[in-house]
Amino acid sequence: MTHTLSATAELDRTNFYIDGRWATPKGAESYQVNEAATEEPLGTAALGTVEDVDTAVRSARAALDDGPWSTTSAAERAATMRRFGDALAKRIDSTSRLVSRENGMPITMSTAFNGTAPVGLMHMYADIIENYPLEEIRQSLSGATIVSRKPVGVVGAITPWNYPQAIAVFKIAPALAAGCTVVLKPSPETALDAYVFAEAAEEAGLPAGVLNIVPAGRDASWSLVQHELVDKIAFTGSTAVGRLIGAECGRLVRPCTLELGGKSASIVLDDADLTTFVTGLAGASFMNNSQTCTTQSRILAPRSRYEEVVDAVRDFARGLTVGNPLDPAVTCGPMATRAQKERVLGYIETAKGTDARLVTGGGTPRGLDRGWFVEPTVFADVNNRDRLAQEEVFGPVIAVIPYDGDDDAVRIANDSQYGLAGSVWTSDEDRGIAVARRIRTGTIGVNYYDIDLGSPFGGMKDSGIGRELGPEAISHYLEYQSIYASAHQLPGAQ
């Protein structure tokens, strides 16, 4: 669908970044981004066609096969990435504010995730690749083998709107470190901030074609997944779309990394310190207005302390400051889009029709008639088979579920198609770790939940395939080649 141009032309992005320069779109489709807190036009982004995506992929292919990127050493790539990170650092304030306006993320959090984290990740992967064993020699029965790790090739990176800068760098940084080239397909809802990467790439002297940026709708995005010159897809988004991408990559015998949805559980054990638990709710259950795949929106409470936990969650939710995310005092901003607000309100109305008990919230905040705001909402007495407990809401709606004993808590936590995150709250850390080990989930915290950028992140079950972050992420952008050779002919390890 083509949208009307916005009045804020300075934020309009009418070209794409392809082959190291600004390219004119081959079509006329565009997307109007509205400010989440005001609903006012913020800027317009051109949307790519199948032909635009094809041009970007061929540019990335040429940069990989014939351009300077294919001959760079790990040290040279690391130096370029550090310049890239430094260029992003100059834009932290403006980028963070832009993302907050696009998707409603509170500005303090946006500064951390969309400003500071991308810079740190770019430098981190530069450091890692300089010390990464890209080649080694192993003795064999017939002589020796050179085991070489080579870039997987052209990467199609498809990213969501909730943490647009951070999640893009989750993919871009390890891919560049490995020697891959990238076509970034950002979400239209946050397409405006994606071009910060283009500006930083230009300033850093990234060779033409190494990073290409094309926002696109469904058909053009699907052409990126199917393109014959793409070697890997790295996707973050819904499980429904991830299933389609995974199936297509399977048909094409193409590797993919899929970071998908979640419906994580926060287990409050009977010996938990509720002050510690409440302190951790912001990061575990309400981060980014709960528009976070790791949101622990199922809180499991022991019957012996059930009402105490319900009251604590209720009071925390009521204490959140809802408003314009650019205000540093605001702790809960709006939903990213009108459609997302309606989706969240729909789940609330469905829950009202069950045996669950509405404890607080349940609608739109008073006095906030403009903007896509939803009250922080808590339901108690939720059955774990209810839709509210099984489906990802992606908004500030919490289900408190009672349990009887640790085994029952583990059973309920694992009774989900998802397995991305979670937490355990207890005064006995050893006990908490023992419970955490029994949960089928990719990440889980004991007495706090905070993603560690230096360790692998990803999900089990329907929450995805593969891992991002940590040194382990680079392995997903490399392929192995074994060269069998006679021992006396072997060069020294490089």
Side-chain angles (χ1 to χ4, degrees):
M1 178 178 181
T2 302
H3 298 262
T4 306
L5 287 175
S6 75
T8 54
E10 69 275 7
L11 286 178
D12 290 347
R13 296 294 192 174
T14 57
N15 295 316
F16 305 130
Y17 186 69
I18 299 175
D19 201 31
R21 54 184 179 269
W22 300 99
T24 301
K26 293 181 170 61
E29 191 174 8
S30 62
Y31 184 91
Q32 181 173 291
V33 180
N34 292 328
E35 189 161 358
T38 67
E39 304 182 34
E40 294 297 323
L42 181 59
T44 299
L47 295 182
T49 64
V50 172
E51 292 77 14
D52 293 311
V53 170
D54 178 69
T55 301
V57 171
R58 292 184 184 279
S59 171
R61 184 87 254 166
L64 181 78
D65 293 344
D66 307 314
W69 203 244
S70 62
T71 60
T72 55
S73 66
E76 289 170 328
R77 292 197 297 275
T80 301
M81 291 175 65
R82 290 190 182 98
R83 293 196 301 271
F84 197 166
D86 292 344
L88 290 173
K90 296 177 183 178
R91 297 163 170 82
I92 286 177
D93 290 343
S94 58
T95 302
S96 303
R97 287 180 61 84
L98 176 56
V99 174
S100 289
R101 297 178 72 188
E102 288 175 309
N103 71 4
M105 182 184 292
I107 186 61
T108 301
M109 181 173 296
S110 188
T111 300
F113 284 93
N114 298 300
T116 304
V119 176
L121 285 168
M122 203 65 70
H123 283 268
M124 183 182 84
Y125 282 104
D127 293 342
I128 289 172
I129 199 60
E130 282 189 317
N131 299 288
Y132 201 87
L134 293 174
E135 191 167 289
E136 62 182 281
I137 298 174
R138 300 178 185 176
Q139 296 302 309
S140 70
L141 292 176
S142 302
T145 300
I146 304 171
V147 179
S148 180
R149 296 168 177 84
K150 297 181 176 295
V152 71
V154 175
V155 175
I158 303 173
T159 56
W161 47 257
N162 59 332
Y163 291 82
Q165 290 280 308
I167 292 177
V169 177
F170 284 11
K171 297 160 177 51
I172 294 171
L176 295 186
C180 298
T181 57
V182 178
V183 176
L184 173 65
K185 202 297 294 181
S187 172
E189 288 83 356
T190 50
L192 302 179
D193 71 84
Y195 286 94
V196 172
F197 292 120
E199 296 167 356
E202 283 190 320
E203 183 176 322
L206 202 66
V210 174
L211 176 63
N212 307 272
I213 302 173
V214 183
R218 181 176 300 175
D219 291 344
S221 298
W222 191 244
S223 74
L224 177 61
V225 175
Q226 294 183 312
H227 202 289
E228 62 181 357
L229 298 181
V230 169
D231 298 295
K232 173 187 169 67
I233 293 294
F235 170 77
T236 297
S238 72
T239 295
V241 175
R243 287 185 191 279
L244 297 174
I245 291 174
E248 186 64 11
C249 287
R251 185 184 72 82
L252 296 168
V253 196
R254 176 175 298 164
C256 62
T257 300
L258 306 174
E259 197 274 283
L260 309 177
K263 191 67 184 180
S264 302
S266 178
I267 302 174
V268 182
L269 296 182
D270 55 16
D271 65 347
D273 174 35
L274 288 193
T275 299
T276 300
F277 166 65
V278 169
T279 301
L281 276 173
S285 299
F286 289 95
M287 190 163 67
N288 191 21
N289 321 325
S290 300
Q291 295 181 133
T292 303
C293 55
T294 61
T295 293
Q296 284 129 66
S297 55
R298 291 185 297 150
I299 294 179
L300 279 50
R303 290 192 189 276
S304 62
R305 302 183 67 185
Y306 187 71
E307 291 303 329
E308 187 182 359
V309 173
V310 169
D311 290 348
V313 178
R314 176 202 63 198
D315 292 347
F316 181 88
R318 287 178 178 174
L320 291 170
T321 302
V322 181
N324 192 310
L326 295 179
D327 181 349
V330 165
T331 52
C332 186
M335 301 297 93
T337 64
R338 182 185 303 279
Q340 185 61 21
K341 174 184 176 180
E342 292 173 353
R343 169 188 165 86
V344 174
L345 291 175
Y347 273 103
I348 291 173
E349 290 307 308
T350 297
K352 288 178 179 178
T354 69
D355 292 334
R357 168 167 50 106
L358 178 62
V359 175
T360 191
T364 301
R366 292 182 181 178
L368 292 173
D369 298 326
R370 297 285 291 174
W372 297 307
F373 294 95
V374 174
E375 286 181 299
T377 299
V378 178
F379 283 93
D381 306 336
V382 177
N383 187 307
N384 197 56
R385 303 313 303 164
D386 288 349
R387 286 186 63 196
L388 187 64
Q390 289 293 315
E391 299 181 14
E392 186 173 40
V393 176
F394 228 60
V397 184
I398 303 299
V400 187
I401 302 170
Y403 72 84
D404 298 293
D406 291 6
D407 290 346
D408 192 37
V410 170
R411 178 190 63 78
I412 293 171
N414 286 332
D415 183 16
S416 170
Q417 71 187 78
Y418 298 108
L420 184 60
S423 59
V424 181
W425 306 86
T426 174
S427 59
D428 182 346
E429 187 172 79
D430 289 339
R431 179 188 178 194
I433 292 172
V435 171
R437 292 185 189 280
R438 299 172 64 189
I439 309 303
R440 288 200 64 208
T441 188
T443 63
I444 188 164
V446 178
N447 290 327
Y448 75 98
Y449 185 87
D450 186 12
I451 292 175
D452 175 12
L453 301 182
S455 299
F457 172 80
M460 300 179 182
K461 300 187 281 188
D462 287 0
S463 288
I465 296 172
R467 293 294 183 267
E468 296 185 310
L469 298 177
E472 292 80 1
I474 290 183
S475 66
H476 291 284
Y477 295 92
L478 294 169
E479 288 189 313
Y480 287 89
Q481 181 184 47
S482 294
I483 302 173
Y484 310 131
S486 298
H488 69 276
Q489 295 176 325
L490 287 175
Q494 296 179 359

